[in-house]
Amino acid sequence: MELSQVPEAVDLEKTRNIGIAAHIDAGKTTTTERMLYYSGRIHRMGDVDDGDTQMDWMQQEMERGITITSAATTCYWREHRINIIDTPGHVDFTAEVERSLRVLDGMVAIMCAVGGVQPQSETVWRQADKYRVPRVVFVNKLDRPGADFHDVLHQMRSHLGAHVMAVQIPMGSEDSFEGVIDLIARQAIRFSGDQGELVEYFDIPEQYRGQAELFREHLVPVLAETMPELEAKYVEGEELSEAELRRAARAATVSGHLIPVLCGSALRNKGVQPLLDAVVDYLPSPADVPPIEGENPKSGRTELRSAQPQEPFSALVFKVFSNPFVGHLSYLRCYSGRAKKGDTVLNATAGRRERLGRILRVHANRTEDIDQVSAGEIVAVAGLKESTTGDTLCNPAHPIVLERISFPEPVISMAVETKKTADEERLIEALQRLEAEDPTIWLKTDPDTGQQIISGMGELHLQIVCDRLVREFSVETNIGKPQVAYKETIRTAAEGEGRFVRQTGGRGQYGHVILQLEPAEAGSGLVFESEIRGNVIPKEFIPAIEQGVEEGMQAGGLAGYPVADVKVTLTGGSWHEVDSSDVAFKIATVMAFKDGYMKADPALLEPIMAAEIVTPEAHMGDVVNDLNLRRASIGSMRSAAGDTQTIACLVPLATMFGYSTSLRNLTQGRGTYTMEPHSYQLVPDNAGA
């Protein structure tokens, strides 16, 4: 189906906005590719290993065989429009998953039948829990050696605490995997043809009948409990129809009480068509989702917007990206109302008006112009000049600000400079564009060297940034060695005093502040309180004092890193009727903070990563010894598929640079690992920063 051939009008109830998410290499992009093929959206299936899939269109994705940026597309199945976002699996690009799940109504979580619940699977699951996204699970790669569908079910219950329930079970596994059994319909399904396009439904073979009935006996009462009328029929011994069971499964999935589990092998073209059926049958439409909450910027009151075209227009910008063919695009989810191209809307977050230039339906890196966007749709807009990720667009007569998207802080930095002095301005412009696209890229200028410092989520993340500078912006760069994003904190309480007095010919400056500093809980950042009573310091100066504390925390006195986890209490000071000002109190506060900070036993904090290493058992000892040298705290070791072992540990990021090379050498190229930010902890006295 070509872009120009897609249907225009689809009922809201027949729309699905879903994300495909999982651990790296679980088969997300391959599954998406098959969904597009069987729905008629594309006419040839690509392969991740060959670098010719529709969704991995960036040059870096083709070369590395991984998804880097979330790609949107639309397909049609059983007269339903399915808007799909294929998300990255690598933890360095977790922000792509975060912002996608924020605007999606449902998710297909893909689990590897061999690897089971892997680290990024858990991260994605927590993100979906955070946004209360209903989901179905597709257990993939059942044709692989070591595949175990039942073990994956057990892992999801034990590791994720998920109320998962199989609605399908496999017929065979590994080399003998031949199809799936639909427990609700009591049918076996086999896939044949050159591309698995022929779907055959038949009676469950005798050798699988006992197992299928056993699973169904567990499934039916769980579904019956979700609807009183079905429960009454079940208790009375009446047989529940397939339609009744699917209706109950849908209600339980939409409410989050149940997560249906399906299975197959996307690469071998088995199980994908029933997965499309499950998206239609079980996942919610925009009309099933509760109205979104927002704040009226004028009144400060909470308001609701439901997914109805007659409501005032509201939409959230969840991604900004430079399309190589169209230019600067803003991806948005429309939550209510409708807007046409050329309309003027309000960016309620920034308080500015924007004009909707072109409205586009997106298929990876290709686009199709449409006339309007309506409630429940995900589209891209060209022409927005001031809007960034997390901004709300709305009807100017009915302003509303929707909740912004939160992103993790970067943990690694490095310096970037141009090889040619003439390219410096282009480098800054390119970095600013990349920073606008990706909220986990932070940019600053080193005041001492004048170098541009970029911060990100990991080594691969920064490598991709530098690669894009060369390929997309034609800026040749010199790259510094990656640096850990340390922080500072204090270990004891102390008092600091700052007095700023300036006398000139006219009005002077006077500010006097006394602060009490003490350690705060890990992860709390700054906790500011005021104990000022009476007129010791007028209330109008308190905000300036808090700003002074925030400014003082930007660079600690120990090594110049940002300060974290400090409680600051304003306990005293003085003011002058004529000479006191916000500026004077802010400067005095910075002085007081620095005075108290150095008395409070300052210390360095380092980022700690949660790592999971998979290694052949024969190399287990070498890998563990190497981790101990890297100051790792090993939490668990468990058997994995075949003769491999999985080691879960917490390890300082500073010791893990270049670990992939070391692990390959230790395990003869067979070891793999994943790593994600966990927390900040004090640097031991015997470990230099």
Side-chain angles (χ1 to χ4, degrees):
M1 187 180 293
E2 300 299 327
L3 280 172
S4 58
Q5 296 174 320
V6 298
E8 270 299 320
V10 175
D11 291 341
L12 200 61
E13 290 75 14
K14 291 188 174 183
T15 296
R16 302 289 183 269
N17 295 315
I18 67 164
I20 313 289
H23 185 86
I24 189 170
D25 202 33
K28 296 177 301 301
T29 300
T30 301
T31 303
T32 306
E33 196 81 0
R34 269 55 180 173
M35 293 171 82
L36 295 176
Y37 177 79
Y38 294 128
S39 64
R41 193 67 169 87
I42 59 176
H43 301 294
R44 188 185 69 84
M45 287 188 282
D47 190 285
V48 172
D49 292 335
D50 295 337
D52 61 353
T53 63
Q54 294 284 315
M55 306 308 281
D56 285 349
W57 58 269
M58 290 176 66
Q59 194 67 37
Q60 295 88 343
E61 294 175 319
M62 297 177 192
E63 292 173 355
R64 290 170 167 82
I66 62 171
T67 301
I68 291 169
T69 181
S70 55
T73 188
T74 301
C75 68
Y76 294 82
W77 185 255
R78 285 171 38 192
E79 299 182 345
H80 286 66
R81 179 168 62 206
I82 305 175
N83 297 317
I84 302 173
I85 296 183
D86 177 30
T87 65
H90 198 288
V91 68
D92 282 17
F93 310 105
T94 189
E96 292 290 317
V97 185
E98 185 81 24
R99 60 178 162 195
S100 298
L101 289 177
R102 169 66 173 80
V103 299
L104 292 170
D105 302 323
M107 181 178 90
V108 176
I110 298 181
M111 300 286 173
C112 175
V114 180
V117 177
Q118 297 165 287
Q120 189 63 7
S121 308
E122 295 190 45
T123 301
V124 168
W125 202 269
R126 289 196 301 270
Q127 289 171 309
D129 285 341
K130 174 181 173 182
Y131 294 114
R132 297 175 183 169
V133 178
R135 67 213 81 159
V136 298
V137 173
F138 182 66
V139 179
N140 193 25
K141 302 190 177 184
L142 277 164
D143 62 303
R144 291 267 303 274
D148 191 334
F149 175 76
H150 307 289
D151 184 53
V152 177
L153 278 177
H154 172 71
Q155 287 185 39
M156 284 191 284
R157 289 172 182 141
S158 60
H159 294 10
L160 304 174
H163 192 193
V164 293
M165 188 63 67
V167 295
Q168 289 179 357
I169 59 172
M171 288 194 293
S173 66
E174 301 184 351
D175 291 341
S176 64
F177 176 61
E178 55 178 315
V180 301
I181 295 171
D182 185 330
L183 298 174
I184 292 179
R186 276 182 166 150
Q187 283 185 313
I189 310 174
R190 186 180 287 127
F191 308 88
S192 58
D194 293 339
Q195 305 289 345
E197 70 277 8
L198 302 177
V199 184
E200 178 189 358
Y201 296 86
F202 57 98
D203 291 337
I204 300 172
E206 182 66 35
Q207 68 264 38
Y208 300 118
R209 202 166 293 163
Q211 186 186 40
E213 286 304 314
L214 182 64
F215 268 83
R216 198 174 191 277
E217 285 173 13
H218 285 88
L219 174 65
V220 172
V222 171
L223 294 181
E225 287 174 5
T226 63
M227 305 184 81
E229 64 272 24
L230 298 188
E231 186 173 23
K233 287 182 68 173
Y234 177 76
V235 170
E236 291 170 8
E238 294 185 44
E239 185 75 16
L240 300 181
S241 69
E242 178 185 344
E244 288 175 323
L245 290 174
R246 292 204 190 281
R247 186 158 51 91
R250 176 178 177 77
T253 305
V254 170
S255 66
H257 292 131
L258 179 71
I259 299 167
V261 180
L262 299 91
C263 55
S265 171
L267 186 63
R268 302 297 172 219
N269 308 318
K270 295 177 181 178
V272 178
Q273 295 96 324
L275 176 60
L276 280 163
D277 286 333
V279 168
V280 168
D281 289 338
Y282 305 136
L283 292 179
S285 74
D288 297 318
V289 177
I292 188 130
E293 285 189 2
E295 182 182 286
N296 186 315
K298 294 181 178 178
S299 66
R301 294 177 182 170
T302 299
E303 294 185 3
L304 300 178
R305 294 282 191 274
S306 60
Q308 298 299 327
Q310 63 269 26
E311 289 257 333
F313 172 71
S314 68
L316 184 76
V317 178
F318 67 93
K319 179 172 178 171
V320 176
F321 197 75
S322 294
N323 184 293
F325 305 103
V326 184
H328 183 82
L329 289 180
S330 301
Y331 289 73
L332 57 89
R333 160 68 189 266
C334 181
Y335 282 101
S336 64
R338 56 164 57 102
K340 296 180 180 179
K341 64 179 179 182
D343 282 356
T344 297
V345 297
L346 173 68
N347 180 330
T349 309
R352 300 188 184 97
R353 295 199 174 215
E354 291 267 35
R355 183 178 176 275
L356 301 180
R358 297 169 65 190
I359 301 177
L360 306 161
R361 187 162 288 136
V362 180
H363 178 59
N365 63 331
R366 293 187 291 142
T367 59
E368 174 209 10
D369 282 87
I370 56 177
D371 293 328
Q372 67 175 19
V373 55
S374 297
E377 292 188 326
I378 293 175
V379 299
V381 174
L384 301 183
K385 294 181 172 60
E386 304 288 343
S387 299
T388 61
T389 299
D391 285 357
T392 301
L393 303 179
C394 60
N395 185 323
H398 301 276
I400 190 171
V401 178
L402 305 177
E403 182 184 354
R404 292 186 69 90
I405 310 170
S406 59
F407 296 100
E409 288 187 15
V411 295
I412 184 172
S413 303
M414 69 181 182
V416 182
E417 61 184 16
T418 57
K419 290 183 178 180
K420 302 175 185 175
T421 307
D423 287 343
E424 285 183 6
E425 192 171 323
R426 288 174 57 211
L427 171 65
I428 295 172
E429 181 182 341
L431 287 173
Q432 287 173 342
R433 284 177 61 181
L434 293 173
E435 184 184 33
E437 288 181 12
D438 186 346
T440 58
I441 295 174
W442 289 8
L443 176 63
K444 69 176 183 179
T445 303
D446 188 311
D448 298 322
T449 65
Q451 290 176 312
Q452 300 302 314
I453 308 296
I454 55 172
S455 302
M457 299 304 297
E459 285 183 274
L460 178 61
H461 192 196
L462 296 185
Q463 286 173 15
I464 297 297
V465 170
C466 296
D467 198 26
R468 290 185 65 189
L469 287 174
V470 176
R471 297 194 190 199
E472 294 178 30
F473 300 97
S474 302
V475 178
E476 296 288 338
T477 59
N478 292 317
I479 308 300
K481 186 179 177 182
Q483 300 291 322
V484 176
Y486 289 97
K487 292 183 181 181
E488 297 185 23
T489 192
I490 57 174
R491 289 181 279 197
T492 62
E495 185 178 88
E497 184 173 3
R499 190 187 299 269
F500 180 69
V501 182
R502 288 288 184 274
Q503 292 297 330
T504 59
R507 177 179 171 179
Q509 294 283 355
Y510 183 90
H512 175 215
V513 173
I514 300 173
L515 302 175
Q516 179 72 21
L517 279 64
E518 53 191 304
E521 288 185 18
S524 60
L526 166 65
V527 180
F528 178 80
E529 293 180 359
S530 173
E531 291 184 354
I532 295 297
R533 300 290 182 268
N535 201 31
V536 176
I537 297 176
K539 288 182 180 179
E540 57 263 32
F541 293 126
I542 304 299
I545 293 172
E546 185 171 2
Q547 289 174 14
V549 173
E550 292 171 353
E551 191 174 311
M553 290 182 66
Q554 290 177 6
L558 192 63
Y561 295 111
V563 178
D565 307 335
V566 175
K567 179 181 179 182
V568 178
T569 306
L570 175 62
T571 58
S574 59
W575 67 293
H576 189 277
E577 288 183 352
V578 176
D579 294 346
S580 287
S581 66
D582 285 347
V583 172
F585 270 105
K586 187 186 292 187
I587 295 172
T589 303
V590 173
M591 296 166 64
F593 182 85
K594 290 182 177 179
D595 176 51
Y597 182 77
M598 295 311 294
K599 300 175 186 175
D601 192 15
L604 279 182
L605 293 169
E606 63 180 344
I608 302 296
M609 312 299 285
E612 191 160 286
I613 299 93
V614 179
T615 174
E617 196 162 6
H619 303 288
M620 184 84 160
D622 293 336
V623 172
V624 170
N625 288 337
D626 180 68
L627 287 171
N628 287 332
L629 293 174
R630 296 174 188 272
R631 295 193 281 125
S633 173
I634 295 175
S636 66
M637 292 182 279
R638 56 184 171 85
S639 298
D643 66 341
T644 60
Q645 293 281 330
T646 299
I647 305 166
C649 64
L650 298 178
V651 60
L653 173 62
T655 68
M656 293 297 281
F657 291 133
Y659 183 64
S660 56
T661 302
S662 299
L663 185 61
R664 279 198 299 269
N665 293 335
L666 290 170
T667 62
Q668 297 178 0
R670 294 176 62 199
T672 61
Y673 82 103
T674 56
M675 196 166 65
E676 64 179 330
H678 179 269
S679 60
Y680 271 82
Q681 295 179 12
L682 288 171
V683 177
D685 292 335
N686 59 354

